Amino acid sequence: MCGIVGYIGGQQAYPILIDGLKKLEYRGYDSAGVALLDNGELHMVKSVGRLCELEDKIGIGCPYGMVGIGHTRWATHGRPSDTNAHPHSDCTNHFVVIHNGIIENYQALREWLTSLGHSFRSETDTEVLAHLVEHYYRGDLKSAIRQVMEQVHGSYALVVMSRHEADRLVCARKDSPLVIGLGEGENFIASDIPALLKYTRQTYILDDGELAEVTKNDVKIENGNGASVEKPIFNVEWDAVSAEKDGFDHFMLKEIHEQPKAIRDTLRSRLNDTGVVLDEIKLTHDQVKSLRKVVMVACGTAYHAGLVGKYVFEKMLRLPVEVDVASEFRYRDPLLGEDTLVVVISQSGETADTLAALRLAKEKGSPVVAVTNVVGSSVSREADQIIYTWAGPEIAVASTKAYTTQLVVLYLLALHLGNLTGVVSLSEAASLVEELKLLPSHVESILKKEHELLEFARFISRWEDTFFIGRGLDYAVALEGSLKLKEISYIHAEAYAAGELKHGTLALITDNIPVLALATQPALHEKMWSNIKEVKARDAYVMGIAMAGDKGTHKEVDAIFEIPATIPLLAPILTVIPLQLIAYHASVLRGCDVDKPRNLAKSVTVE
Ligand code: AGP
């Protein structure tokens, strides 16, 4: 996610751009830049770091101009740097672009444009857009951009400004949000409403494929076929704070609901008809063949993702997998070496123990793959190879979209390694890929049933203790569900391997105590149902999570929530969604600070 702003009107643009970018910093904050046109002259300033560093760089002599664009970045392609910051311009500096999204075919476009003589300055996917506009421009900016839209694959919300046509901005969107704010003798463009509220509440919300030509007195919108569109004005009722959360009450709920897009973005350009495309992984066939073990190291939710990864890797690659919390791994003198692949997982890429584990693994000669959500983070800079989750900034302390996209990356990595060594057949890979592609819509259908979980949350919120039980992959997800509940509702939640209950914990099962039973694994259903009977016999109140079509679980539990049917191996990505929602609503019901729970920080950068 990135923050985009544009202005055209009778005021100096710079203060409006900076103010808008400040309202959008939650969408990305690793670098920023502005570009303005003043009497045909282009003024562009970009800086790595937070917006304040851009302001410091600009100093008191702010650039003049009554038309301008600005961008605050969340890097996906190209580490955070002055050069990679947006805006990006073409060879002639006549076209300037800002962009939010992922241009999937940017490499091919970059090669083609280079062969035509274009010279690139940055490592970003976005810069190809500026050179494409230059290539297609024949005196009409809008039609040049229309041709660009036909060439690029992927997602974009883009704004283009040109010295040739300084009286307009042209913007377009596909799969990334873009809104136009309507003023008197001035108009605004932004990726999100918060950037506009200080100036206007009258907006056009662009739809996919639409392109808009914005002057200070007019907004012309066209659809994907070039036909003009009369859009209704959307009057924004939200206040500034709720607008940052897209109308959701908390960032956590917003981020739970962003998971379909986060999963789609993380899968984007990494799947083709035959399997997985993971160019980030440089491990050779022989290196993978020589592996004797995989170790996954992380903390908290990322550790729970590693537990799912263990099942997936061992099932698909038939390789032993150890999973360690980083704070233990780094002090147990682990057996490592070039035959042990170490997979380090960290949303922030700054967790001290996880970073230390990465360094230890490298010191001991193990190949290291990092899975992280932050481009340019310490983990991403020190790992041999990196696979990014493209979840966008995760603001809430409780990790949600990072977890599900970490799982997606682990499935992709297992498939990639399996394809490399042949242990995963093309037909197995193809069927798994087909199911992976369905995950975003499966998550969407779960989110549409959020109301069914309110009763679960209400029941649980009245207790100080709750148990999560499951077997196999469901046990790994039960651990994540219990962490979600305890860290934001302060209920003592404990996850247990269902088969282990009778070895002690059953003593804690008393009258009506809430038990969440995860039963998504058909091969373990009989065993799981008998474990549910065990706790029912002690008068627990059991809420079940099962797959649609499951004919048995609903008979064993007091209440049930069904997730869409999928390959059992992929179930964790779906099973966790109701658990996230239950934790969220229980926390709200208990009046807790959902986004900033007591005693916790978003990134634990100390031991
Ligand atoms: C998850 O909800 C917690 N906020 C916490 O456990 C977190 O997952 C852990 O601190 C690891 O963070 P990282 O992924 O940024 O390394």
Side-chain angles (χ1 to χ4, degrees):
M1 290 208 293
C2 301
I4 280 181
V5 290
Y7 174 78
I8 188 162
Q11 301 186 67
Q12 286 300 322
Y14 174 70
I16 295 171
L17 297 176
I18 289 293
D19 175 73
L21 291 177
K22 282 178 179 168
K23 300 289 192 305
L24 299 181
E25 268 205 296
Y26 64 88
R27 294 182 59 87
Y29 40 76
D30 60 46
S31 51
V34 292
L36 297 92
L37 283 178
D38 183 35
N39 292 326
E41 284 307 308
L42 174 66
H43 304 284
M44 186 154 74
V45 185
K46 311 196 289 184
S47 171
V48 70
R50 303 294 297 238
L51 200 50
C52 54
E53 295 182 61
L54 174 68
E55 289 184 283
D56 293 347
K57 190 170 187 177
I58 288 172
I60 48 174
C62 64
Y64 287 107
M66 298 186 184
V67 54
I69 56 179
H71 186 275
T72 181
R73 187 173 183 232
W74 182 264
T76 54
H77 294 71
R79 60 189 168 70
S81 67
D82 290 3
T83 312
N84 288 336
H86 300 207
H88 290 283
S89 60
D90 69 307
C91 307
T92 68
N93 279 337
H94 274 78
F95 304 99
V96 189
V97 181
I98 51 177
H99 164 237
N100 172 30
I102 296 168
I103 305 299
E104 293 176 23
N105 58 338
Y106 83 97
Q107 291 282 25
L109 290 169
R110 185 179 177 123
E111 286 159 20
W112 172 60
L113 289 161
T114 304
S115 71
L116 296 177
H118 290 260
S119 54
F120 285 81
R121 305 179 185 92
S122 79
E123 304 161 313
T124 66
D125 54 335
T126 300
E127 192 183 345
V128 296
L129 297 172
H131 294 279
L132 282 171
V133 175
E134 176 193 5
H135 175 77
Y136 287 115
Y137 187 74
R138 296 289 182 277
D140 177 15
L141 185 58
K142 185 184 67 171
S143 61
I145 293 165
R146 180 64 71 192
Q147 293 177 83
V148 171
M149 290 165 70
E150 286 158 14
Q151 282 283 358
V152 299
H153 306 152
S155 59
Y156 53 80
L158 59 89
V159 185
V160 182
M161 183 171 73
S162 169
R163 291 165 67 183
H164 294 305
E165 300 182 28
D167 64 342
R168 68 200 57 230
L169 294 173
V170 180
C171 59
R173 68 148 287 180
K174 176 176 169 292
D175 292 339
S176 289
L178 204 55
V179 292
I180 296 170
L182 306 173
E184 294 294 325
E186 59 185 9
N187 286 309
F188 308 80
I189 301 171
S191 38
D192 251 349
I193 282 169
L196 305 175
L197 290 182
K198 182 175 174 183
Y199 310 100
T200 178
R201 288 181 175 274
Q202 307 285 300
T203 65
Y204 289 135
I205 310 289
L206 286 192
D207 291 310
D208 272 357
E210 289 182 343
L211 172 150
E213 200 171 26
V214 182
T215 65
K216 66 182 185 177
N217 292 313
D218 190 27
V219 177
K220 287 194 181 67
I221 299 173
E222 297 176 359
N223 64 17
N225 306 320
S228 77
V229 173
E230 288 307 312
K231 286 186 87 70
I233 289 179
F234 174 72
N235 185 45
V236 180
E237 304 294 341
W238 297 330
D239 60 35
V241 174
S242 61
E244 266 189 12
K245 300 168 197 144
D246 233 1
F248 290 100
D249 290 340
H250 299 96
F251 276 111
M252 182 183 178
L253 190 59
K254 177 187 175 205
E255 288 155 11
I256 289 172
H257 282 261
E258 282 175 342
Q259 289 181 110
K261 182 177 186 316
I263 292 168
R264 208 171 274 123
D265 285 349
T266 301
L267 284 170
R268 194 183 293 275
S269 73
R270 289 170 166 163
L271 292 179
N272 61 25
D273 298 343
T274 53
V276 176
V277 180
L278 271 190
D279 298 335
E280 306 94 320
I281 299 303
K282 307 302 177 204
L283 291 169
T284 64
H285 170 276
D286 293 346
Q287 271 179 309
V288 180
K289 267 294 193 197
S290 69
L291 290 179
R292 290 291 162 266
K293 181 174 73 171
V294 177
V295 179
M296 298 195 183
V297 192
C299 299
T301 286
Y303 165 71
H304 296 150
L307 291 173
V308 172
K310 170 184 171 66
Y311 283 98
V312 174
F313 272 55
E314 290 189 344
K315 176 93 180 153
M316 292 175 64
L317 305 177
R318 309 311 295 158
L319 261 180
V321 178
E322 292 172 13
V323 189
D324 254 321
V325 287
S327 54
E328 290 295 306
F329 174 83
R330 60 184 295 202
Y331 295 113
R332 67 173 176 82
D333 190 16
L335 301 174
L336 301 174
E338 61 186 20
D339 65 352
T340 302
L341 172 66
V342 175
V343 180
V344 168
I345 309 167
S346 175
Q347 186 283 130
S348 63
E350 301 300 344
T351 298
D353 285 319
T354 307
L355 194 53
L358 183 158
R359 289 168 179 159
L360 177 62
K362 287 181 72 175
E363 209 175 282
K364 293 202 168 202
S366 284
V368 175
V369 171
V371 179
T372 185
N373 194 39
V374 184
V375 177
S377 60
S378 303
V379 160
S380 73
R381 286 199 304 273
E382 298 193 27
D384 306 327
Q385 305 165 79
I386 311 136
I387 313 175
Y388 288 110
T389 51
W390 284 332
E394 190 175 69
I395 310 294
V397 165
S399 190
T400 51
K401 61 180 183 174
Y403 174 78
T404 45
T405 52
Q406 285 161 1
L407 296 188
V408 168
V409 165
L410 291 172
Y411 287 112
L412 292 172
L413 182 55
L415 269 170
H416 175 80
L417 299 178
N419 285 345
L420 209 54
T421 55
V423 294
V424 176
S425 71
L426 285 178
S427 60
E428 283 169 317
S431 67
L432 200 60
V433 163
E434 281 320 299
E435 279 299 319
L436 278 169
K437 288 176 181 171
L438 294 174
L439 288 176
S441 55
H442 284 337
V443 173
E444 278 160 358
S445 60
I446 294 172
L447 294 172
K448 286 195 184 98
K449 299 198 305 175
E450 179 176 353
H451 60 282
E452 290 183 24
L453 294 163
L454 291 179
E455 205 34 57
F456 286 39
R458 203 164 288 125
F459 186 90
I460 287 169
S461 68
R462 293 194 289 267
W463 285 77
E464 294 309 317
D465 299 286
T466 298
F467 289 86
F468 291 71
I469 60 173
R471 285 176 171 260
L473 281 166
D474 283 332
Y475 172 46
V477 180
L479 286 161
E480 173 56 14
S482 70
L483 174 61
K484 284 287 94 48
L485 183 64
K486 75 180 97 176
E487 71 175 326
I488 61 173
S489 70
Y490 314 146
I491 293 169
H492 179 238
E494 191 164 350
Y496 237 80
E500 190 62 8
L501 281 169
K502 58 182 128 357
H503 299 283
T505 302
L506 209 52
L508 294 179
I509 303 296
T510 57
D511 183 22
N512 239 4
I513 198 163
V515 173
L516 269 154
L518 312 188
T520 70
Q521 302 297 305
L524 296 167
H525 265 160
E526 295 296 336
K527 298 291 178 194
M528 194 57 206
W529 294 337
S530 63
N531 294 137
I532 294 171
K533 285 186 175 68
E534 269 174 37
V535 293
K536 286 287 296 160
R538 277 84 181 169
D539 299 324
Y541 180 78
V542 184
M543 294 156 277
I545 310 284
M547 256 191 225
D550 170 344
K551 297 280 182 273
T553 303
H554 70 282
K555 295 175 193 158
E556 307 294 338
V557 298
D558 298 297
I560 191 140
F561 180 86
E562 288 194 339
I563 61 172
T566 183
I567 294 177
L569 195 63
L570 292 181
I573 292 182
L574 303 182
T575 314
V576 77
I577 307 295
L579 305 187
Q580 294 168 347
L581 289 167
I582 290 167
Y584 169 79
H585 287 292
S587 174
V588 169
L589 287 166
R590 289 167 66 97
C592 300
D593 185 342
V594 176
D595 285 334
K596 297 190 181 75
R598 68 188 181 203
N599 310 338
L600 300 179
K602 182 57 186 169
S603 178
V604 182
T605 55
V606 293
E607 278 200 47

